[in-house]
Amino acid sequence: MKNHVVVIIPNWNGADRLATAMTSVLAQSYPHVSLVVVDNGSTDHSRQIIEQFQEKDQRVSAIYRNKNYGFTGGVNPGLQLAIHEGAAYAALFNNDARADKDWLKHLAAFLDTHPRYGIAACTLLHEDGKTIDSTADLYTVWGIPYPRGRDEPASDRYDQSTDIFGASGGASMYRVEMLQKIGLFDQDFFAYYEDIDLSFRAQLAGWKVGFVPKAVVYHEQGATSEQLGSGSKKPKGANTFTTKQYMRNLPFILVKDMPLSLLWRVGPRFIFAYTLFFVKSFTEGRGLAALTGVLQFWLHLPKKLVERWRIQRARRVSPAYLWGLFTHDLPPNAYKLRRLRAVWWRLTGRRRRAAS
């Protein structure tokens, strides 16, 4: 089927929201679509909901897993199915989201007309539509990614299509041809920042990421992350699971994806921010989770170094190109780091430079 899209919804005990998500996907104006729900061993009545949809609509299929394999383990089987079926595109969709009826139409039209682009990101609004969840992802020269526009009032500020660093795994479209070349999500991430890693690998391989503002999804931010899925990119103070993922997964990206000639520029900043977060975790009662994340990173390091060799060997863009894609600032919500940086600038007499 021409330009067929497989939409993948990962699910773990999301029965109270799953039907809304599935209904919004099946109501899309784009005609060439099928839906696969990958259930990560749910113990609620998710399976009954999925089976009810299957009885009513032949476009729905399901993959049942025996336990919770996280976001990465929840989407990769669906992506493998999309590849097997010869789909042109695969779209990921959170089980706590609701799509505008033209969401897929706008994303598919963009990729249809932009062959160099491997990923299309959309506008993610919070559930009430009044504030922004994400308008794609940025990656800073501090090695810290963040969702563009997070918590800003919904407005026309981000109404232009543009090149962007990365796309949120919560509701984005991927060219299957690209996935066949660069690989699927890294399952060692389990959840959090796996979408940044995939976007980084796509950029390294010469694929572009585009933001498509007219493609709109409404997202109940954090609901999925509370179920060990992929949700907010911002670590929450009391969430030990998020802390562990943060401490393990963020350095994965640096080790795997950052070209050596940029590592000396990003690495020192990252180590400083990473150390501060580690110390802060102990002061807020999340020290064990932080330490677990750090230890897991070191245990995985040999494997990640092997992956780095393969990824960097296949790189098709220059370090200067990547440096231009990075955001040369701290994330907006990095308040303590911003204050420390301001103190450093005052002490050294240094002024902020756009290309620092």
Short mmCIF file of all heavy atoms in Angstrom, two decimals, residues 6-10 34-38 74-80 82 90-94 169:
data_model
loop_
_atom_site.label_atom_id
_atom_site.label_comp_id
_atom_site.label_asym_id
_atom_site.label_seq_id
_atom_site.Cartn_x
_atom_site.Cartn_y
_atom_site.Cartn_z
N VAL A 6 2.34 2.69 9.90
CA VAL A 6 2.01 1.86 11.05
C VAL A 6 2.18 2.72 12.30
O VAL A 6 3.27 3.26 12.55
CB VAL A 6 2.91 0.62 11.15
CG1 VAL A 6 2.64 -0.15 12.44
CG2 VAL A 6 2.69 -0.29 9.95
N VAL A 7 1.12 2.89 13.06
CA VAL A 7 1.18 3.63 14.32
C VAL A 7 1.35 2.64 15.46
O VAL A 7 0.63 1.64 15.54
CB VAL A 7 -0.10 4.48 14.54
CG1 VAL A 7 -0.01 5.23 15.87
CG2 VAL A 7 -0.28 5.46 13.39
N ILE A 8 2.30 2.92 16.33
CA ILE A 8 2.64 2.01 17.42
C ILE A 8 2.35 2.69 18.76
O ILE A 8 2.87 3.77 19.04
CB ILE A 8 4.13 1.62 17.36
CG1 ILE A 8 4.43 0.94 16.01
CG2 ILE A 8 4.51 0.72 18.52
CD1 ILE A 8 5.79 1.25 15.46
N ILE A 9 1.52 2.05 19.55
CA ILE A 9 1.23 2.53 20.90
C ILE A 9 1.81 1.54 21.91
O ILE A 9 1.35 0.40 21.99
CB ILE A 9 -0.28 2.68 21.16
CG1 ILE A 9 -0.90 3.71 20.21
CG2 ILE A 9 -0.55 3.08 22.61
CD1 ILE A 9 -2.39 3.90 20.39
N PRO A 10 2.82 1.94 22.67
CA PRO A 10 3.31 1.07 23.75
C PRO A 10 2.39 1.24 24.96
O PRO A 10 1.96 2.36 25.28
CB PRO A 10 4.71 1.61 24.02
CG PRO A 10 4.63 3.07 23.66
CD PRO A 10 3.62 3.17 22.53
N SER A 34 -2.47 1.68 9.82
CA SER A 34 -2.82 0.55 10.68
C SER A 34 -2.25 0.83 12.07
O SER A 34 -1.32 1.63 12.23
CB SER A 34 -2.29 -0.77 10.13
OG SER A 34 -0.88 -0.74 10.02
N LEU A 35 -2.79 0.16 13.06
CA LEU A 35 -2.42 0.42 14.45
C LEU A 35 -2.00 -0.87 15.13
O LEU A 35 -2.70 -1.88 15.04
CB LEU A 35 -3.61 1.03 15.20
CG LEU A 35 -3.49 1.16 16.73
CD1 LEU A 35 -2.35 2.10 17.11
CD2 LEU A 35 -4.82 1.65 17.31
N VAL A 36 -0.85 -0.83 15.78
CA VAL A 36 -0.42 -1.97 16.59
C VAL A 36 -0.17 -1.49 18.02
O VAL A 36 0.51 -0.49 18.23
CB VAL A 36 0.85 -2.65 16.01
CG1 VAL A 36 2.00 -1.67 15.85
CG2 VAL A 36 1.29 -3.82 16.89
N VAL A 37 -0.76 -2.18 18.96
CA VAL A 37 -0.53 -1.89 20.37
C VAL A 37 0.41 -2.94 20.92
O VAL A 37 0.15 -4.15 20.80
CB VAL A 37 -1.85 -1.89 21.17
CG1 VAL A 37 -1.57 -1.55 22.64
CG2 VAL A 37 -2.84 -0.89 20.58
N VAL A 38 1.52 -2.49 21.48
CA VAL A 38 2.48 -3.41 22.10
C VAL A 38 2.26 -3.33 23.61
O VAL A 38 2.55 -2.31 24.23
CB VAL A 38 3.93 -3.05 21.75
CG1 VAL A 38 4.88 -4.09 22.36
CG2 VAL A 38 4.12 -2.98 20.24
N GLY A 74 8.79 -1.53 24.32
CA GLY A 74 7.39 -1.45 23.92
C GLY A 74 7.18 -0.94 22.51
O GLY A 74 6.11 -1.14 21.93
N VAL A 75 8.19 -0.27 21.94
CA VAL A 75 8.02 0.24 20.57
C VAL A 75 8.81 -0.56 19.53
O VAL A 75 8.39 -0.67 18.37
CB VAL A 75 8.39 1.74 20.46
CG1 VAL A 75 7.46 2.57 21.33
CG2 VAL A 75 9.83 1.99 20.82
N ASN A 76 9.95 -1.12 19.94
CA ASN A 76 10.77 -1.83 18.95
C ASN A 76 10.05 -3.00 18.27
O ASN A 76 10.20 -3.18 17.05
CB ASN A 76 12.07 -2.30 19.59
CG ASN A 76 13.12 -1.20 19.65
OD1 ASN A 76 12.94 -0.13 19.06
ND2 ASN A 76 14.21 -1.45 20.34
N PRO A 77 9.27 -3.83 18.99
CA PRO A 77 8.54 -4.88 18.26
C PRO A 77 7.56 -4.31 17.24
O PRO A 77 7.38 -4.90 16.16
CB PRO A 77 7.79 -5.61 19.39
CG PRO A 77 8.60 -5.36 20.61
CD PRO A 77 9.10 -3.96 20.45
N GLY A 78 6.95 -3.18 17.53
CA GLY A 78 6.07 -2.54 16.56
C GLY A 78 6.83 -2.01 15.37
O GLY A 78 6.37 -2.10 14.22
N LEU A 79 8.01 -1.45 15.60
CA LEU A 79 8.84 -0.97 14.50
C LEU A 79 9.31 -2.14 13.62
O LEU A 79 9.36 -2.03 12.39
CB LEU A 79 10.04 -0.20 15.05
CG LEU A 79 9.72 1.12 15.76
CD1 LEU A 79 10.98 1.70 16.39
CD2 LEU A 79 9.10 2.12 14.79
N GLN A 80 9.64 -3.24 14.26
CA GLN A 80 10.03 -4.43 13.49
C GLN A 80 8.87 -4.92 12.63
O GLN A 80 9.07 -5.36 11.49
CB GLN A 80 10.49 -5.53 14.45
CG GLN A 80 11.82 -5.22 15.13
CD GLN A 80 12.10 -6.11 16.32
OE1 GLN A 80 11.21 -6.81 16.82
NE2 GLN A 80 13.34 -6.10 16.80
N ALA A 82 6.49 -2.97 11.40
CA ALA A 82 6.37 -2.00 10.30
C ALA A 82 7.38 -2.30 9.20
O ALA A 82 7.05 -2.21 8.00
CB ALA A 82 6.57 -0.59 10.84
N ALA A 90 6.66 4.79 10.19
CA ALA A 90 6.17 4.29 11.47
C ALA A 90 6.01 5.48 12.39
O ALA A 90 6.92 6.31 12.49
CB ALA A 90 7.13 3.27 12.07
N ALA A 91 4.87 5.58 13.05
CA ALA A 91 4.62 6.68 13.97
C ALA A 91 4.44 6.13 15.37
O ALA A 91 3.75 5.12 15.56
CB ALA A 91 3.38 7.47 13.54
N LEU A 92 5.06 6.78 16.33
CA LEU A 92 4.91 6.39 17.73
C LEU A 92 3.87 7.28 18.39
O LEU A 92 3.77 8.47 18.09
CB LEU A 92 6.24 6.51 18.47
CG LEU A 92 7.43 5.77 17.87
CD1 LEU A 92 8.64 5.87 18.80
CD2 LEU A 92 7.10 4.33 17.56
N PHE A 93 3.12 6.70 19.32
CA PHE A 93 2.05 7.45 19.96
C PHE A 93 1.87 6.97 21.38
O PHE A 93 1.68 5.77 21.63
CB PHE A 93 0.74 7.25 19.17
CG PHE A 93 -0.32 8.26 19.48
CD1 PHE A 93 -0.17 9.58 19.10
CD2 PHE A 93 -1.47 7.89 20.14
CE1 PHE A 93 -1.15 10.52 19.38
CE2 PHE A 93 -2.46 8.81 20.42
CZ PHE A 93 -2.30 10.15 20.04
N ASN A 94 1.93 7.88 22.33
CA ASN A 94 1.77 7.51 23.74
C ASN A 94 0.34 7.08 24.05
O ASN A 94 -0.62 7.59 23.46
CB ASN A 94 2.15 8.69 24.65
CG ASN A 94 3.64 8.71 24.98
OD1 ASN A 94 4.41 7.87 24.52
ND2 ASN A 94 4.04 9.67 25.77
N GLY A 169 9.62 10.89 21.29
CA GLY A 169 9.08 9.56 21.00
C GLY A 169 7.61 9.44 21.34
O GLY A 169 6.98 8.45 20.99
#
